[in-house]
Amino acid sequence: GIKGCTEKDLEDEAEMMRRLDHPNIIRTIDAYWTAARDEVRLVEEYAMGGELFQWCRARRRRQSRRPSG
């Protein structure tokens, strides 16, 4: 299994993610395990605007350039 997880653990986690319904959380549509690569793949809704990491980095830069006061 994947780092000590059982298939049941992964199925339970995927089911919990599919049930989440919140406007600030990207919806998980499906999850499946690829035996050939021993990976879990998530199918999630598309979120416009790029990667969250890049957005956060740009925001920190803008905030650090603002004059303090």
Side-chain angles (χ1 to χ4, degrees), residues 58-69:
R59 183 172 180 192
R60 275 196 307 265
R61 286 181 184 153
R62 286 190 305 270
Q63 288 177 340
S64 68
R65 290 183 193 144
R66 279 196 277 169
S68 59

Side-chain angles (χ1 to χ4, degrees), residues 9-68:
D9 292 336
L10 297 171
E11 289 172 4
D12 290 346
E13 183 73 14
E15 181 59 28
M16 182 198 66
M17 292 171 68
R18 280 192 288 271
R19 289 181 183 194
L20 287 174
D21 184 18
H22 189 279
N24 296 331
I25 298 175
I26 293 174
R27 190 169 64 93
T28 299
I29 298 166
D30 197 10
Y32 60 94
W33 176 69
T34 61
R37 297 186 69 168
D38 197 26
E39 295 176 333
V40 174
R41 299 285 177 103
L42 299 175
V43 180
E44 298 178 325
E45 72 179 322
Y46 178 74
M48 292 177 30
E51 294 184 29
L52 179 60
F53 176 78
Q54 297 297 331
W55 183 87
C56 291
R57 178 188 281 173
R59 183 172 180 192
R60 275 196 307 265
R61 286 181 184 153
R62 286 190 305 270
Q63 288 177 340
S64 68
R65 290 183 193 144
R66 279 196 277 169
S68 59

